[in-house]
Amino acid sequence: MTDSVRTPPAPEFAYRDGALFAEDVSLEQLATVVGTPAYCYSQAALDRRYHEFADAFADQNAMICYAVKANGNQAVIAALARQGAGADVVSEGELRLAIAAGVPPERIVFSGVGKTRQEMAFALDSGIRQINVESAPELEVLAEVAAAKDRTATVVIRVNPDVDARTHAKITTGTAENKFGVDLAHVPEVYARAEALDGIVPVGLAVHIGSQLLELTPFRSAFTKLAELVAELRAAGHAVSRLDIGGGVGIRYGSESPPDIAGYAEIVRELLGPLGCELIVEPGRAMVGNAGVLLTRVLYVKQGVERRFIIVDAAMNDLLRPAMYDAGHAIVPLVEPAADAVYEPADVVGPICETGDSFATGRAMPPLVAEALLAICSAGAYGAVMASSYNGRLLVPEVLVHGDRFAVIRPRQGFADLLAQDSLPDWLSQEAQPAARIAAGRGSV
Ligand code: LLP
């Protein structure tokens, strides 16, 4: 991360007269109404990114299926669906969210390495476009589930192309040591088996090699191997008419320069276009990542022995990415620093009792005092969806901005919700406690 990251990496979030806005909404005003921490998304940014993908693939018979795992809020899914997006889901929960948000089932694909029988049954009943099968045993179970329902499952076989995506190890998915997909050598056998099984119709292949890819070369390697495999399957007499090319295009968090969508679409055209297949693209992060920020308030500024700590009210339970993937998100004040402000290193940390609860270490930050408001940028993807109530912290709200309007699309959790999550077994209930029994006149010490 360079010192130059002083505005959020999306044009929909910009300073106006020294105050940070999301579209036409002042984030300071929004934070005053909704409180902090809070996620804030720009619908214009979502729409723009959807159209960047749709336009780039306009001449390629492609369906853009938004990867719901990046942000499963139904308002976010609905905003993208209204523009024409389908959905890529990985659980019955995500499938239900996508349908509820208005994605037509025939535009939904179901990925994932460990689908249960119940999830398969629900997917078949829903009439979705395809199920991406990731192993031979999964294929057998799907055939059983389909047969029991007297339904047909349209499937693509996910290939593990053994390509290093050159991204963080925890989000690399396409090497031989990863759990995903069927290795190249076994795909012909699995494809043939799929064709032989009643209730299964294989129509093509899928590939996804990782997330936050910053170069096109790994995509190039994966698509080259995919094209060879299609030729091999066709030579063996199989029809292959559909390719799901996964997601993975990276975004700018700091000083990265990720591939542009047009360049990505261009290598798809070059390497896969000649096959004449229908395409499915599954972007998650690239669609929503820079459409969101996490608003947080400075609680304290503490001068430690070696460092300045900026202690904020957001924490790793709200945005796990820095702790989990060492991710660097730009952090900017809602009040624009003066042009001559002196930036000095600071650690921006949350209140949780772990050293890993840190959003930035040694980051050049402007002068800040308690109560200052900050935006943690690029938090639209894998932010709210990965939140938890660790440390007894309440899940934070999500807000969608649309022009000069905003709406709370998920309210802040309340303490009553937190307390209601658990229930005590009868032998631990307050009633059963000696003090309570004595107080109630029903026992003695
Ligand atoms: N398709 C499949 C089969 C996937 O596994 C994924 C992401 C995507 C599409 C969407 O990938 P994207 O376009 O978002 O890169 N929590 C991590 C990211 C995990 C991604 C897992 N798979 C993070 O915060 O970096």
Side-chain angles (χ1 to χ4, degrees):
M1 167 111 13
T2 64
D3 293 356
S4 63
V5 182
R6 294 186 182 175
T7 51
E12 292 77 10
F13 294 88
Y15 288 108
R16 290 187 190 174
D17 294 331
L20 191 64
F21 275 62
E23 303 187 31
D24 299 326
V25 172
S26 150
L27 288 174
E28 187 170 4
Q29 279 171 17
L30 190 150
T32 308
V33 175
V34 179
T36 56
Y39 278 98
C40 169
Y41 312 125
S42 154
Q43 187 169 334
L46 297 172
D47 293 355
R48 176 173 58 80
R49 286 302 269 178
Y50 173 74
H51 287 290
E52 281 175 32
F53 272 96
D55 293 351
F57 282 94
D59 58 350
Q60 293 197 63
N61 187 20
M63 187 179 290
I64 312 298
C65 291
Y66 163 59
V68 168
K69 63 168 75 71
N71 187 322
N73 190 294
Q74 290 170 71
V76 170
I77 305 171
L80 292 168
R82 298 296 177 274
Q83 299 302 313
D88 161 47
V89 302
V90 291
S91 67
E92 182 173 338
E94 284 191 356
L95 177 50
R96 287 177 182 270
L97 289 168
I99 293 172
V103 184
E106 64 275 13
R107 298 178 73 79
I108 301 179
V109 302
F110 193 165
S111 311
V113 75
K115 302 174 202 76
T116 65
R117 284 172 189 264
Q118 183 185 322
E119 287 177 319
M120 292 172 178
F122 185 76
L124 291 172
D125 287 342
S126 305
I128 64 169
R129 184 171 207 79
Q130 76 189 34
I131 297 180
N132 295 9
V133 169
E134 299 223 12
S135 67
E138 183 193 357
L139 185 65
E140 301 295 329
V141 171
L142 180 60
E144 279 174 36
V145 174
K149 294 190 152 293
D150 206 14
R151 287 192 185 270
T152 304
T154 303
V155 307
V156 302
I157 306 295
R158 177 164 173 183
V159 181
N160 182 325
D162 196 16
V163 167
D164 183 358
R166 294 160 55 98
T167 182
H168 192 282
K170 286 191 181 144
I171 48 176
T172 294
T173 57
T175 70
E177 60 200 30
N178 298 135
K179 67 184 174 185
F180 302 96
V182 178
D183 61 288
L184 281 170
H186 285 102
V187 172
E189 195 183 303
V190 174
Y191 209 93
R193 176 70 182 148
E195 238 159 42
L197 280 167
D198 282 343
I200 301 278
V201 176
V203 296
L205 301 173
V207 71
H208 172 80
I209 55 174
S211 196
Q212 183 58 5
L213 271 71
L214 292 171
E215 305 161 35
L216 289 176
T217 317
F219 286 119
R220 197 172 260 290
S221 312
F223 298 156
T224 303
K225 291 188 178 186
L226 198 62
E228 285 165 10
L229 191 55
V230 171
E232 185 184 336
L233 291 172
R234 285 180 173 169
H238 301 297
V240 182
S241 61
R242 198 180 292 176
L243 294 177
D244 180 337
I245 59 171
V249 176
I251 61 167
R252 190 158 77 81
Y253 285 94
S255 54
E256 306 90 344
S257 39
D260 70 359
I261 310 305
Y264 168 68
E266 187 49 47
I267 67 157
V268 175
R269 179 186 297 106
E270 176 196 330
L271 298 167
L272 302 177
L275 301 171
C277 289
E278 167 199 343
L279 297 177
I280 290 176
V281 193
E282 298 174 350
R285 187 194 313 269
M287 198 83 98
V288 297
N290 276 328
V293 297
L294 174 59
L295 301 175
T296 184
R297 190 179 287 276
V298 176
L299 296 174
Y300 305 104
V301 177
K302 167 163 122 173
Q303 189 56 57
V305 180
E306 305 209 337
R307 292 158 184 240
R308 177 171 62 128
F309 293 103
I310 298 168
I311 302 165
V312 297
D313 64 359
M316 63 190 282
N317 70 298
D318 306 311
L319 177 63
L320 188 58
R321 302 197 67 261
M324 183 128 174
Y325 313 107
D326 303 312
H329 291 245
I331 304 174
V332 301
L334 298 196
V335 175
E336 190 172 23
D340 60 355
V342 179
Y343 281 66
E344 281 180 328
D347 289 9
V348 182
V349 300
I352 283 184
C353 312
E354 304 200 18
T355 304
D357 180 28
S358 172
F359 292 113
T361 306
R363 176 82 57 86
M365 294 294 291
L368 289 166
V369 293
E371 299 298 319
L373 288 161
L374 303 173
I376 303 179
C377 303
S378 312
Y382 307 112
V385 275
M386 295 179 75
S388 75
S389 49
Y390 183 41
N391 269 219
R393 291 169 54 86
L394 303 176
L395 292 175
V396 308
E398 294 173 85
V399 178
L400 185 66
V401 168
H402 182 44
D404 60 1
R405 293 186 283 168
F406 67 86
V408 174
I409 56 174
R410 178 175 298 191
R412 189 180 304 282
Q413 202 182 23
F415 286 114
D417 304 318
L418 185 75
L419 297 183
Q421 282 176 352
D422 311 322
S423 52
L424 296 183
D426 56 5
W427 65 91
L428 287 176
S429 69
Q430 296 293 344
E431 272 286 284
Q433 299 312 297
R437 290 168 60 84
I438 291 163
R442 280 190 277 114
S444 55
V445 182

